[in-house]
Amino acid sequence: MPAPSVTTETALKSCIHRTNVTQAPEPYRGKVRDVYPLSDDVLGIVVTDRISAFDYIMRQPIPFKGQILNQLSTFGFQRVEDLVDTHVIDTPHPNVTIARKARPLPVEVVLRGFLAGHAWRVYNSGERSISGAPMPEGMVQNQAFETPILTPATKAQEGHDEDISEKEILRQNLIAPDVWEEIKATAFRLFERGQHIARKQGLYLVDTKYEFGLYQGRPILIDEVHTTDSSRFFYADGYEERLRKGEPQKQLSKEFLREWLMWRGFQGQEGQTLPDLSDELRMDIFHRYSELFELLT
């Protein structure tokens, strides 16, 4: 977290956009993380200040985002250790996680407790199912589902992730049936734990994604858990009144960045121009990440 003496100008100029580690192999560069192979079984993961939306990396990074995200994820992993094995070995630096090297499974396990974000856009288009999961008639935006729904998505190497049903996951042999059943059951337990932690802090965990990998033949939780990048949170205070009035929910997530981009005509589609983030918006995003970190931890 930034010290009070750090000026906005200094913060904006001190972002970590790309890393290079001397005498280390060239890393795999994801949307947010630079991943260095340290051995056959161990990775060094540097969480940068990059931010993405609609599967595109914004040109301008966000001050301190990497260390907030990494520490928030560490907090989340520590609180689910009794539910699942994770990839975390150590967090020796605010931006760095030392992790077990797992073989990532090609499906994101998405849990949704509310009709929001992508699910709402699908619902509002007239569809009544997402990834094979039915959505009841008569719902309104941001309304809670009676029980959380599972809406998996494929992890695209390029372009957009795509919704996929459990039936298709198994038909395409993307994940072995026994492994899928295990990670599905684990995901619902993780979501219940995440909801409980958030509710104690005056928040609703709206939706989230979990990523799993195989380590020594068994599935473990990788990537991140219950962070601003992987999850959406609503403020519980005033939720019912805003829902009744049809007003937008006060939330902590990247949805506001997606909405900002959509308002400027960008949804990651061919022919659209990625807009630049203003310094004011970059600092606003930092404050939102900082607020969630402080609230949850």
Side-chain angles (χ1 to χ4, degrees):
M1 309 294 287
S5 59
V6 175
T7 66
T8 296
E9 182 180 6
T10 300
L12 291 168
K13 289 181 177 179
S14 302
C15 295
I16 302 171
H17 192 272
R18 182 183 177 92
T19 66
N20 289 287
V21 177
T22 305
Q23 297 180 334
E26 180 69 15
Y28 163 76
R29 302 188 192 276
K31 295 186 182 77
V32 173
R33 295 165 178 81
D34 290 349
V35 182
Y36 292 86
L38 302 182
S39 72
D40 290 342
D41 295 316
V42 178
L43 300 172
I45 303 173
V46 184
V47 188
T48 73
D49 296 329
R50 299 191 295 264
I51 190 169
S52 68
F54 297 118
D55 299 311
Y56 276 78
I57 300 170
M58 304 297 107
R59 284 186 287 270
Q60 292 77 27
I62 307 305
F64 306 105
K65 174 183 177 284
Q67 60 179 275
I68 295 172
L69 186 64
N70 195 48
Q71 291 178 90
L72 184 58
S73 195
T74 299
F75 173 87
F77 276 120
Q78 290 170 345
R79 276 145 189 82
V80 299
E81 288 176 338
D82 59 320
L83 301 179
V84 63
D85 291 331
T86 80
H87 74 161
V88 178
I89 297 173
D90 191 17
T91 310
H93 179 279
N95 289 81
V96 178
T97 292
I98 306 302
R100 297 172 182 88
K101 183 180 180 180
R103 179 170 64 83
L105 295 172
V107 172
E108 292 182 346
V109 185
V110 182
L111 269 292
R112 301 182 185 275
F114 294 73
L115 182 61
H118 172 60
W120 166 248
R121 289 189 283 272
V122 170
Y123 193 92
N124 197 40
S125 74
E127 297 291 331
R128 290 298 178 265
S129 69
I130 180 171
S131 300
M135 297 185 287
E137 289 284 354
M139 293 188 71
V140 297
Q141 186 176 13
N142 299 327
Q143 182 179 346
F145 291 112
E146 185 172 336
T147 58
I149 63 172
L150 175 70
T151 64
T154 57
K155 293 169 59 177
Q157 294 299 313
E158 295 182 3
H160 295 284
D161 296 343
E162 294 185 0
D163 298 331
I164 188 171
S165 67
E166 291 186 68
K167 182 178 179 180
E168 277 301 300
I169 290 169
L170 299 176
R171 189 189 70 80
Q172 296 181 30
N173 199 31
L174 297 178
I175 300 177
D178 59 331
V179 174
W180 173 250
E181 288 301 317
E182 181 177 348
I183 65 175
K184 181 173 69 170
T186 299
F188 277 101
R189 289 194 294 269
L190 291 171
F191 194 64
E192 183 179 15
R193 176 68 56 81
Q195 287 181 310
H196 177 70
I197 292 170
R199 191 65 188 89
K200 288 198 302 182
Q201 301 305 112
L203 298 169
Y204 290 133
L205 175 58
V206 175
D207 50 39
T208 195
K209 72 176 178 69
Y210 303 112
E211 298 195 29
F212 292 85
L214 294 181
Y215 179 75
Q216 297 181 349
R218 299 303 310 159
I220 66 172
L221 185 64
I222 63 172
D223 194 53
E224 59 189 301
V225 59
H226 302 151
T227 73
T228 327
D229 276 17
S230 67
S231 312
R232 189 189 326 268
F233 297 86
F234 287 161
Y235 287 83
D237 185 30
Y239 164 79
E240 293 291 348
E241 183 177 359
R242 287 188 289 271
L243 184 70
R244 186 174 63 253
K245 292 180 177 179
E247 296 175 350
Q249 290 296 330
K250 186 179 178 185
Q251 64 175 288
L252 290 167
S253 72
K254 288 202 302 183
E255 184 65 17
F256 80 96
L257 175 58
R258 298 185 191 99
E259 291 173 352
W260 184 89
L261 291 167
M262 287 190 289
W263 186 68
R264 285 158 179 79
F266 183 82
Q267 296 186 61
Q269 303 299 323
E270 186 176 350
Q272 296 179 340
T273 301
L274 179 67
D276 289 324
L277 308 183
S278 68
D279 290 350
E280 182 180 7
L281 179 62
R282 292 166 68 194
M283 290 305 297
D284 184 35
I285 295 171
F286 152 67
H287 287 299
R288 290 172 184 252
Y289 274 77
S290 178
E291 183 178 359
L292 180 60
F293 179 89
E294 291 169 2
L295 276 173
L296 278 183
T297 67

